[in-house]
């Protein structure tokens, strides 16, 4: 879920709690006004009007969903006001049949309004649950993509290195195959953790990588034969967990794409600038004239960065021979 959506949800929750208390208080003041009718008509009228206004306004706010969705204000205030007037008039009637009719009609109107408000609130809650589920599915899909994509790229590099060295240097070929096997086992363990998390098994939350672990990530690619130049400035250990994970995933996905689709050397720069982390990954393009189509990796990366109010720019340089990924992530 995006940060703006979360802000709307939390703000809506606070408004609803305030509106509920206003409904309770307004109802209490309105009932007190009816009870005071025999003692002071002016005080009773003032209390009834004030309580009725608070009750009506509170119900109209409860009926409103986040972003102004739900019933319009008049659709709640008008029937509630009419119902309060009918009940107030009915209480003061001397004839029993008239009193029962007025109070009954007013109460029926209030019940209908309450049922309508409840139904709309349930609809809003279902929509929120669906959005939350969709966001969680996208997040898990992005995690699985990052794990599998990175592992396959690194394993393919190791396998290619082993194939090229199997005749001239068998020991180096064996070492490359062992690294590919290690990458595969590590990826299988990560995927098992994600699957257990989907099954809601207790105590199976996978450990999220942090930005301070970038040197190990770079080394995994370099040991597989990738030509990577890595530069980092600033302390990455004190980043908030969401920012640290985002920095790691952006570098991981950027390197995976650079190794898979690019050629030549890859330059990776990570600068902690105080209020943000600036990440830039550049590599030579295999086909400068080709029009790049964003894949699931870039889409997931952009969603991950947007979720914490960061920015992402991806594209070719002016000459078209170099591909650059530039991300700015709040720290």
């Amino acid at each position: 879920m995006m940060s703006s959506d979360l802000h709307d949800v939390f703000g809506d929750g606070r408004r609803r709690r305030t509106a509920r208390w206003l409904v309770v208080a307004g109802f209490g003041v309105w009932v007190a006004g009816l009870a005071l009718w025999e003692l002071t008509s002016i005080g009773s009228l003032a209390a009834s009007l004030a309580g009725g206004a608070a009750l009506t306004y509170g119900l109209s706010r409860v009926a409103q969903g986040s972003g102004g969705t739900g019933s319009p204000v008049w659709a709640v205030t008008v029937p509630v006001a009419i119902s309060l007037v009918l009940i107030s008039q009915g209480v003061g009637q001397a004839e029993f049949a008239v009193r029962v009719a007025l109070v009954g009609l007013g109460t029926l109107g209030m019940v209908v309004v309450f049922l309508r408000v409840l139904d709309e609130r349930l609809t809003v809650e279902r929509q929120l649950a669906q959005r939350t589920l969709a966001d969680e599915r996208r997040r898990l899909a992005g995690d699985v993509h990052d794990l599998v994509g990175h592992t396959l790229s690194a394993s393919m590099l190791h396998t290619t290195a082993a194939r090229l060295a199997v005749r001239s240097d068998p020991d180096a070929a064996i070492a490359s195959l062992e690294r590919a096997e290690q990458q595969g086992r590590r990826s299988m363990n990560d995927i098992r953790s994600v699957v257990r998390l989907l099954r809601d098994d207790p105590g199976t939350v996978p450990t999220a990588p942090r930005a301070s672990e970038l040197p190990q990530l770079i080394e995994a690619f370099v040991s597989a034969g990738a030509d990577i130049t890595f530069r980092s400035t600033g302390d990455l250990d004190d980043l908030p967990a969401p920012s640290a994970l985002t920095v790691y995933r952006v570098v991981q996905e950027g390197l995976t794409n650079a190794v898979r689709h690019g050629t030549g050397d890859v330059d990776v720069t990570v600068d902690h600038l105080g209020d943000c982390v600036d990440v830039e990954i550049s590599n030579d393009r295999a086909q400068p004239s080709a029009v790049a189509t964003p894949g699931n990796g870039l889409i997931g990366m952009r969603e991950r960065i947007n979720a914490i109010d960061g920015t992402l720019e991806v594209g070719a340089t002016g000459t078209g021979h170099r591909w650059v990924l530039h991300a700015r992530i709040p720290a």
Side-chain angles (χ1 to χ4, degrees):
M1 181 178 295
M2 302 300 178
S3 58
S4 59
D5 294 334
L6 289 174
H7 182 270
D8 291 341
V9 171
F10 293 147
D12 181 49
R14 288 192 295 269
R15 288 192 295 270
R16 287 170 55 192
R17 286 192 294 271
T18 303
R20 286 169 182 158
W21 282 110
L22 195 61
V23 170
V24 174
F27 182 77
V29 173
W30 177 71
V31 171
L34 294 181
L36 293 175
W37 183 261
E38 297 294 336
L39 300 178
T40 168
S41 58
I42 297 179
S44 174
L45 179 61
S48 297
L49 291 176
L55 174 61
T56 302
Y57 179 78
L59 279 176
S60 67
R61 298 308 300 168
V62 171
Q64 288 287 304
S66 59
T69 60
S71 295
V73 174
W74 65 266
V76 176
T77 56
V78 171
V80 169
I82 294 175
S83 299
L84 292 178
V85 170
L86 290 175
I87 296 175
S88 300
Q89 292 296 318
V91 170
Q93 292 295 323
E95 189 174 346
F96 178 76
V98 176
R99 183 165 65 249
V100 170
L102 292 177
V103 173
L105 288 175
T107 304
L108 178 62
M110 293 292 291
V111 169
V112 171
V113 172
F114 273 109
L115 290 178
R116 179 173 180 176
V117 169
L118 178 61
D119 180 68
E120 292 186 351
R121 290 314 309 177
L122 290 176
T123 301
V124 171
E125 295 295 341
R126 284 194 295 268
Q127 293 174 350
L128 177 59
Q130 291 172 355
R131 287 170 53 190
T132 303
L133 179 60
D135 290 339
E136 187 65 14
R137 285 177 173 173
R138 281 194 294 269
R139 185 188 68 81
L140 290 174
D143 287 341
V144 172
H145 176 275
D146 292 340
L147 293 172
V148 175
H150 162 64
T151 303
L152 286 178
S153 296
S155 298
M156 288 173 62
L157 286 175
H158 286 301
T159 304
T160 302
R163 178 178 59 81
L164 296 176
V166 68
R167 291 186 177 88
S168 60
D169 192 350
D171 291 337
I174 292 175
S176 295
L177 290 175
E178 288 176 346
R179 294 191 188 98
E181 181 182 9
Q182 292 172 359
Q183 289 284 344
R185 293 184 184 277
R186 187 180 301 115
S187 178
M188 287 300 297
N189 290 333
D190 291 337
I191 292 175
R192 287 192 187 100
S193 297
V194 174
V195 171
R196 287 196 295 267
L197 182 63
L198 288 173
R199 291 177 176 175
D200 200 22
D201 291 345
T204 58
V205 178
T207 302
R210 299 184 61 84
S212 57
E213 301 175 17
L214 287 177
Q216 292 89 331
L217 175 66
I218 301 296
E219 178 58 29
F221 280 95
V222 172
S223 64
D227 185 7
I228 300 176
T229 302
F230 175 59
R231 292 180 295 273
S232 176
T233 61
D235 187 7
L236 300 178
D237 291 328
D238 60 347
L239 291 176
S243 298
L245 177 60
T246 301
V247 170
Y248 186 93
R249 293 303 190 197
V250 167
V251 174
Q252 184 183 54
E253 177 64 24
L255 280 176
T256 301
N257 290 338
V259 170
R260 184 183 302 169
H261 304 296
T263 61
D265 63 308
V266 181
D267 291 327
V268 180
T269 304
V270 179
D271 296 323
H272 187 184
L273 305 177
D275 61 341
C276 70
V277 178
D278 197 81
V279 179
E280 183 173 293
I281 302 174
S282 62
N283 60 277
D284 291 333
R285 301 180 66 189
Q287 295 178 330
S289 60
V291 178
T293 302
N296 292 328
L298 286 178
I299 293 174
M301 187 191 305
R302 191 177 300 279
E303 290 177 348
R304 187 188 294 274
I305 293 174
N306 289 340
I308 58 174
D309 295 329
T311 60
L312 175 66
E313 298 176 358
V314 181
T317 58
T319 59
H321 296 285
R322 195 105 174 136
W323 188 263
V324 179
L325 180 151
H326 182 224
R328 188 173 291 268
I329 301 165

